[in-house]
């Protein structure tokens, strides 16, 4: 395997491939979403950029931060509350899709582990969190047509 630099046909910027097959920067995962408030959109983009640049620990920590922003934006949570409280606000306001509690607990656990222990994030963890975050943002904002209104049952 040779070291190579290619020009991306999408953005026109160079991409470096090392001898082990690693790509720098990597592909942009996730998709652009409509109707996101500016701060939510900025944190979501940071998560995607972190994963693209193989900064997996920071992507996991930002995933947790994004849940806080969402809870304050749509579920009337107050800034400075505990992470569990933010999740409770989202649940009470019907913004958590069915079976998402397991993923929220996974995000909470990973965030605690990466923030309070000497452990680093990895690609699999970051990709799983990004998939969950993307689905949650789509559910809350894009299906709600950017209003942040939860679908009625």
């Amino acid at each position: 395997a040779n070291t190579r630099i290619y020009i991306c046909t999408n953005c026109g910027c160079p991409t470096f491939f090392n001898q082990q097959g690693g790509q720098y920067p990597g592909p942009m995962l996730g998709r652009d979403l409509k109707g996101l408030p500016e701060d939510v959109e900025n944190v979501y983009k940071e998560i995607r950029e972190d994963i693209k640049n193989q900064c997996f620990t920071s992507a996991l920590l930002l995933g947790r931060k994004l849940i806080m922003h969402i809870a304050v934006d749509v579920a009337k949570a107050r800034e400075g509350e505990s992470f569990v409280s933010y999740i409770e606000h989202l649940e009470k306001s019907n913004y958590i899709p069915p079976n998402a509690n397991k993923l929220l607990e996974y995000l909470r656990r990973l965030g605690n582990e990466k923030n309070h222990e000497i452990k680093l994030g990895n690609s699999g963890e970051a990709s799983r969190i990004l998939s969950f975050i993307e689905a949650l943002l789509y559910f809350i904002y894009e299906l709600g047509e950017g209003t942040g209104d939860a679908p009625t049952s």
Side-chain angles (χ1 to χ4, degrees):
N2 295 328
T3 300
R4 297 177 188 258
I5 295 177
Y6 292 100
I7 303 300
C8 175
T9 57
N10 187 37
C11 69
C13 293
T15 301
F16 172 77
F17 291 84
N18 66 19
Q19 292 180 348
Q20 293 75 35
Q23 178 182 351
Y24 305 95
M28 181 70 83
L29 299 181
R31 64 185 187 97
D32 294 332
L33 295 168
K34 299 175 189 166
L36 302 179
E38 186 177 351
D39 64 329
V40 169
E41 182 175 19
N42 287 340
V43 176
Y44 175 60
K45 283 181 179 178
E46 272 189 64
I47 293 168
R48 295 174 67 205
E49 283 289 331
D50 281 354
I51 293 171
K52 178 176 93 170
N53 293 310
Q54 299 185 12
C55 303
F56 305 123
T57 304
S58 59
L60 295 171
L61 295 172
L62 281 171
R64 183 179 166 120
K65 179 176 177 47
L66 187 53
I67 296 297
M68 296 162 57
H69 280 264
I70 295 167
V72 169
D73 182 52
V74 298
K76 310 308 177 223
R78 290 185 317 274
E79 200 173 324
E81 294 184 34
S82 69
F83 186 73
V84 171
S85 175
Y86 290 122
I87 292 172
E88 289 171 356
H89 280 287
L90 290 168
E91 287 173 337
K92 289 177 188 172
S93 301
N94 295 318
Y95 285 107
I96 302 299
N99 299 322
N101 288 344
K102 291 177 186 174
L103 285 166
L104 279 168
E105 177 56 25
Y106 178 71
L107 176 61
R108 185 197 65 75
R109 187 179 52 75
L110 283 179
N112 279 347
E113 186 178 273
K114 301 324 180 225
N115 199 34
H116 301 292
E117 299 176 24
I118 308 297
K119 293 188 177 180
L120 300 176
N122 63 53
S123 175
E125 293 168 337
S127 294
R128 185 170 184 201
I129 293 304
L130 176 63
S131 294
F132 170 65
I133 292 287
E134 182 181 319
L136 188 63
L137 292 173
Y138 178 78
F139 176 77
I140 292 172
Y141 294 101
E142 198 163 307
L143 285 180
E145 298 176 13
T147 63
D149 292 335
T152 55
S153 29

